[in-house]
Amino acid sequence: MNLLLPFLTQGDTPLYKAGITLIPYPQEVRLTGETFNLPNPLTIAIDHDATEKDKFATGELRRQLSDRWNISTELTTNRRSAHIVLTKSDTEKKHGNQGYQLQVTSKRITVSASGEPGLFYGVQTLCQLIQSGDGTSPFVLGMAIKDWPHTANRAIHYDTKHHQDTREYVEGFIRDLAKYKINLLVWEWEDKFAYPSHPEIGAPGAFTMQEMQEITRYAQNYHVQIVPLVQGLGHVSFILKWPQYAHLREIPASNWEFDPLNEGSYDLLFDLWADAMEATPGSRYIHIGSDETFELGKGPTTREKAKEIGRNGLYHLFVEKSARHLQKTGREVMVWERPMGWTRDVTTDEGVGQELSPQYKVTPHEGIVLTEAYGYETPDLKYARQAKALGFQLFAYDPNAGIECLFVPYFHRKKGAMRNNPQVIEGSLEHSYHFFRSRLGENLFDGMICTSWDDSGLHNQTWMLRFITAAEFSWNARSDQSLAEFTAKYFRNYYGDDVTDMEELFLLLNEGAYFYQESFERNVWHHGEIGKTHIPDLPRTDVLEYNPYWNTEYAHRVTLANEFLGKMERALQICENNLIADIDNKYDFEVFTSLAKLIEHTAKTYLDLSSLEHSITKAHQQRFLDLDSTLYHLDQAHATVNNQLARRKEVFDYLVGVWEKTRLPKGMDTEEKEYFFQQDRARHFANRTPDLTYHIYDEQLLGLENYLDKLTAYRDLFYERIVKPEQIYLK
């Protein structure tokens, strides 16, 4: 099965054929055959009454012309003398304030819009249209564009529950999203914000109120709205792990969710939500989460109420009370809730919408914004249409394809545990492509939200292709471009025309991440009980007894390890080739290198364990033939383990060094505060350890350090009791 071949086809759209990798693709575009050559210096005309945001958009154009093309610019209000005109005068208004028109002739480029967002988006489009020829000045092909979004609110879910990016990184991330016309960032920050009302909840180094307000205003310049997501009801271990709040738990033994009948739950959450709203001035929404309420109605105070109104009733009781309070502040309240026929019984196992009592038919609180789906239950979106008719805002929900380790499964996914012959199914790219094209563009959804759950602790840069896929097809769900064209276009757009072998690299990392995940005990965090990985038997007694089972038991993993050793060698070569090339976003290739090295190290570890048993086998075979040879093979076994441990440290240290270029150290302490770590019932892969060692934790569980100590002791004892006496005897 060639998973790579579909992504190597050529594109069919006019822009792609002309060498233009514009993202997102415009609604209407016509090439004219003319060309505008950018002079240096260049004059830009703006309206005499241009707003501050219009001037900011102009400044972004000037910055990019200078930084990327070394073109100096001057401003004027005289259109006739300008090379580029940016205007909000005499423009079409039928497509709203996000729509724009762009006209390129041989004499001038004109970007016009009826609103500030549209003018900004027109500038972002123009910046992507500039091309360079061999030995020629930069140019833009002649064309006429009319463009507007199919979906007004295009949201990326940014989950930092298990890590904190630096402010510099966050602002760069915002600029990247704005470039591709994303206009909401739903930021699930958990303890990465220093709540003034309850300062103990914020982790060491968390963004302060002032910092978050500054980031919010920074994003607004780029027409990106920061939507705070502070979990309520469920997903609140970052709050309820603290002993002083343990009395608010649904289940005393679990820090996972609030008791919705305890008034103290609301007192605390109202404080935190007030802080979050103050930190995001000017934002329209607040998201209160509330999904995965696994323990709802099972606590000592809620059990009887659940019998009366059902667990779904308890859920909506919490949402109604919370939303009613928040709506008084002027915020619209987003909830992980789905439009699933609330007036009937619901018997699913997804956390919310469970065990609806026939005596209690749910009517959701008026005005909440529904942001979840689970497939919308019916192909014709029956319940989504009902919810829309009732006046609810609906956001099309594009969830993670899974919670895989290390890398997003862009090209293929595996369904089922590794020991049950997992089925290979469509990847994240294909899933999102079909989702957006089938769901959007019919005026049913007020927005879309593309999630990136941080459960497995992936680096945020590994999500970028997913984010920009959502940006592309939520803006224009009806373009003629194929998924193959978009994928190829993305790599050239994001990394530059000189980038090479990206489809191959992403496929190798997609495959390699599954090999990594299926190694040792890692899969138990996703698929339940799968069995423990053992290490070779230690030699024992004077005659070097041992059980030679390992290479038989793990023969398949050794075969795979040899296969992935070659694949990761190729992945590392692709990374190296691109790191020395003239491309953009080179840091990504440092991240990809750290992943490939970790996968390669996992493969080498299986080969080390195989070699370890072979050395012990040879030592056993030589026991009564040649003691010097026996000792040699024991020393070889010792060296194998020692080298494996040294390589693990080297690979892990490299990963930490790369990742912490854009992140604060995970679980760090400061002089003012120690990090308080406590696991929760969700068993998130990234929350097994307070630091980045979650990447190697399962390997640590093998116990090779202890094995090495015992092997060293055995070797020394064997020498003292067997080898040394014989040497003395022979003398």
Side-chain angles (χ1 to χ4, degrees):
M1 179 179 180
N2 191 337
L3 295 168
L4 183 59
L5 186 60
F7 297 95
L8 297 178
T9 58
Q10 296 299 312
D12 295 322
T13 62
L15 291 184
Y16 193 82
K17 288 180 177 179
I20 297 170
T21 59
L22 176 61
I23 299 176
Y25 203 88
Q27 303 288 353
E28 297 178 8
V29 59
R30 177 176 56 86
L31 295 174
T32 64
E34 299 180 77
T35 299
F36 178 80
N37 294 300
L38 276 66
N40 192 3
L42 178 150
T43 303
I44 301 173
I46 62 174
D47 295 335
H48 70 277
D49 58 349
T51 66
E52 289 302 314
K53 287 195 173 180
D54 295 340
K55 293 175 182 177
F56 182 86
T58 305
E60 283 296 288
L61 175 59
R62 299 181 72 185
R63 180 183 63 80
Q64 293 199 42
L65 288 172
S66 175
D67 293 350
R68 194 168 189 86
W69 306 103
N70 199 29
I71 293 176
S72 60
T73 57
E74 300 174 353
L75 290 182
T76 182
T77 57
N78 184 355
R79 294 189 189 184
R80 293 184 179 181
S81 64
H83 302 106
I84 297 177
V85 175
L86 307 179
T87 182
K88 294 204 317 250
S89 301
D90 303 322
T91 59
E92 291 186 7
K93 297 182 179 180
K94 65 178 180 179
H95 294 305
N97 68 358
Q98 295 188 55
Y100 68 92
Q101 299 85 48
L102 191 149
Q103 184 81 31
V104 182
T105 69
S106 60
K107 297 180 179 180
R108 182 177 292 114
I109 298 174
T110 303
V111 178
S112 57
S114 62
E116 293 171 337
L119 193 68
F120 178 83
Y121 294 143
V123 165
Q124 295 304 309
T125 292
L126 172 57
C127 290
Q128 294 185 56
L129 293 176
I130 302 173
Q131 298 175 272
S132 61
D134 295 333
T136 65
S137 62
F139 64 91
V140 180
L141 292 180
M143 66 183 71
I145 288 177
K146 289 186 179 181
D147 201 13
W148 64 92
H150 275 142
T151 310
N153 298 295
R154 301 168 302 281
I156 295 301
H157 166 246
Y158 176 40
D159 188 1
T160 58
K161 68 166 62 74
H162 297 312
H163 78 279
Q164 181 173 346
D165 292 312
T166 64
R167 178 170 174 176
E168 180 183 14
Y169 176 86
V170 172
E171 291 179 348
F173 179 45
I174 289 167
R175 291 194 301 273
D176 276 348
L177 296 181
K179 173 181 177 180
Y180 301 108
K181 304 181 177 65
I182 290 294
N183 60 358
L184 283 88
L185 186 63
V186 179
W187 190 347
E188 184 170 353
W189 59 47
E190 291 210 352
D191 60 352
K192 307 312 182 295
F193 171 55
Y195 303 90
S197 63
H198 298 275
E200 68 282 356
I201 292 176
F207 289 118
T208 66
M209 175 66 75
Q210 180 178 341
E211 288 174 322
M212 199 61 79
Q213 289 174 339
E214 290 171 353
I215 293 171
T216 297
R217 294 187 179 102
Y218 182 89
Q220 287 167 352
N221 286 330
Y222 290 89
H223 298 273
V224 175
Q225 176 188 164
I226 302 292
V227 177
L229 195 170
V230 180
Q231 288 280 7
L233 197 55
H235 271 288
V236 290
S237 55
F238 73 102
I239 302 171
L240 296 185
K241 69 180 181 180
W242 292 94
Q244 60 267 46
Y245 303 128
H247 66 287
L248 302 177
R249 297 175 177 181
E250 169 80 5
I251 301 291
S254 171
N255 60 26
W256 184 251
E257 64 189 76
F258 279 109
D259 176 352
L261 300 183
N262 191 322
E263 287 300 317
S265 299
Y266 300 95
D267 293 339
L268 177 55
L269 281 170
F270 290 172
D271 285 346
L272 301 182
W273 290 335
D275 289 344
M277 289 185 289
E278 184 181 350
T280 53
S283 294
R284 174 181 175 186
Y285 300 101
I286 182 171
H287 201 307
I288 63 171
S290 309
D291 62 330
E292 296 189 340
T293 51
F294 305 113
E295 294 147 7
L296 186 59
K298 298 180 180 179
T301 65
T302 60
R303 199 173 297 123
E304 290 304 313
K305 191 68 173 177
K307 292 178 182 178
E308 175 189 345
I309 66 174
R311 295 174 64 196
N312 203 342
L314 282 171
Y315 173 84
H316 281 279
L317 182 152
F318 171 83
V319 170
E320 181 175 357
K321 188 166 185 174
S322 300
R324 188 185 304 115
H325 172 82
L326 289 168
Q327 286 169 345
K328 293 176 183 177
T329 69
R331 291 282 176 122
E332 298 182 53
V333 181
M334 290 179 160
V335 187
W336 292 127
E337 171 61 296
R338 50 197 175 152
M340 290 301 156
W342 301 294
T343 58
R344 64 190 182 85
D345 290 351
V346 179
T347 57
T348 62
D349 296 321
E350 300 291 356
V352 299
Q354 294 183 354
E355 301 176 11
L356 177 58
S357 168
Q359 292 78 34
Y360 189 87
K361 301 303 182 181
V362 168
T363 302
H365 181 69
E366 184 177 347
I368 61 173
V369 183
L370 311 179
T371 61
E372 199 163 335
Y374 295 126
Y376 298 101
E377 198 163 326
T378 64
D380 62 352
L381 305 178
K382 172 183 176 181
Y383 296 113
R385 296 182 189 281
Q386 287 181 358
K388 183 73 171 180
L390 291 171
F392 289 98
Q393 286 188 61
L394 303 180
F395 273 55
Y397 175 68
D398 182 32
N400 295 19
I403 50 174
E404 282 77 4
C405 303
L406 292 189
F407 198 69
V408 180
Y410 285 114
F411 289 169
H412 73 276
R413 292 177 289 157
K414 288 187 176 181
K415 187 177 182 180
M418 73 172 183
R419 296 196 175 192
N420 295 327
N421 298 316
Q423 177 186 4
V424 177
I425 60 176
E426 67 177 8
S428 170
L429 271 176
E430 188 175 355
H431 178 272
S432 293
Y433 175 76
H434 292 303
F435 171 80
F436 286 120
R437 289 174 67 85
S438 64
R439 295 293 190 246
L440 301 184
E442 296 181 0
N443 298 318
L444 175 60
F445 292 100
D446 302 277
M448 76 84 190
I449 184 166
C450 171
T451 63
S452 59
W453 304 111
D454 196 28
D455 299 12
S456 295
L458 278 62
H459 195 288
N460 198 58
Q461 285 303 110
T462 64
W463 294 102
M464 288 306 298
L465 172 53
R466 171 168 167 75
F467 295 153
I468 297 173
T469 302
E472 172 77 63
F473 296 107
S474 61
W475 180 275
N476 186 350
R478 296 290 182 266
S479 69
D480 293 331
Q481 66 181 321
S482 65
L483 179 58
E485 176 181 316
F486 167 72
T487 307
K489 180 177 75 170
Y490 163 78
F491 289 128
R492 288 179 54 203
N493 181 293
Y494 194 69
Y495 296 111
D497 289 339
D498 291 334
V499 75
T500 57
D501 302 314
M502 291 306 297
E503 294 92 344
E504 182 183 3
L505 175 61
F506 270 47
L507 178 61
L508 289 169
L509 292 177
N510 190 158
E511 292 180 326
Y514 274 112
F515 171 75
Y516 166 89
Q517 181 175 303
E518 294 164 356
S519 299
F520 316 131
E521 271 81 80
R522 293 184 181 119
N523 234 21
V524 75
W525 295 89
H526 299 266
H527 302 294
E529 188 174 333
I530 62 165
K532 180 176 176 58
T533 301
H534 296 274
I535 53 180
D537 200 23
L538 278 161
R540 54 189 177 271
T541 74
D542 290 352
V543 297
L544 219 152
E545 294 178 2
Y546 80 110
N547 182 354
Y549 74 94
W550 198 92
N551 275 290
T552 300
E553 177 71 17
Y554 298 103
H556 177 60
R557 298 302 295 173
V558 172
T559 299
L560 283 176
N562 277 302
E563 176 186 335
F564 277 96
L565 204 61
K567 289 185 175 183
M568 290 307 103
E569 181 180 354
R570 173 58 181 156
L572 289 168
Q573 184 61 59
I574 294 172
C575 290
E576 183 179 344
N577 292 343
N578 283 297
L579 280 167
I580 62 176
D582 182 20
I583 61 171
D584 301 322
N585 295 302
K586 283 192 176 184
Y587 174 68
D588 286 19
F589 293 92
E590 295 183 53
V591 174
F592 299 152
T593 297
S594 74
L595 305 182
K597 283 180 176 289
L598 187 57
I599 297 166
E600 178 189 55
H601 166 72
T602 300
K604 287 181 176 179
T605 295
Y606 277 105
L607 300 181
D608 287 338
L609 295 175
S610 175
S611 176
L612 174 61
E613 186 180 72
H614 286 315
S615 293
I616 293 171
T617 297
K618 292 174 183 177
H620 169 80
Q621 293 169 344
Q622 293 296 310
R623 166 62 181 87
F624 295 104
L625 299 176
D626 187 335
L627 288 179
D628 287 340
S629 179
T630 300
L631 205 60
Y632 169 80
H633 289 301
L634 288 175
D635 287 340
Q636 287 294 104
H638 183 280
T640 296
V641 179
N642 198 54
N643 291 339
Q644 192 279 343
L645 294 173
R647 186 183 65 244
R648 179 208 296 172
K649 182 179 186 307
E650 178 183 350
V651 169
F652 178 69
D653 287 349
Y654 177 82
L655 183 146
V656 172
V658 168
W659 288 37
E660 289 183 358
K661 287 183 178 181
T662 59
R663 295 179 167 198
L664 300 186
K666 187 175 186 295
M668 73 174 190
D669 298 327
T670 63
E671 292 183 0
E672 298 79 20
K673 192 174 190 179
E674 291 185 1
Y675 179 66
F676 178 28
F677 174 70
Q678 188 178 88
Q679 285 187 306
D680 56 41
R681 55 106 68 219
R683 303 192 313 169
H684 287 170
F685 187 79
N687 196 40
R688 300 177 301 161
T689 65
D691 56 14
L692 279 171
T693 55
Y694 67 85
H695 286 297
I696 58 171
Y697 177 66
D698 299 276
E699 186 182 324
Q700 292 173 327
L701 291 177
L702 294 175
L704 284 171
E705 291 89 347
N706 185 51
Y707 185 99
L708 185 63
D709 290 341
K710 290 181 178 180
L711 182 61
T712 301
Y714 178 85
R715 184 263 184 211
D716 292 345
L717 185 63
F718 186 82
Y719 175 77
E720 291 294 329
R721 292 179 57 176
I722 306 298
V723 179
K724 188 175 181 180
E726 180 159 316
Q727 289 176 341
I728 293 173
Y729 172 78
L730 291 175
K731 289 181 179 179

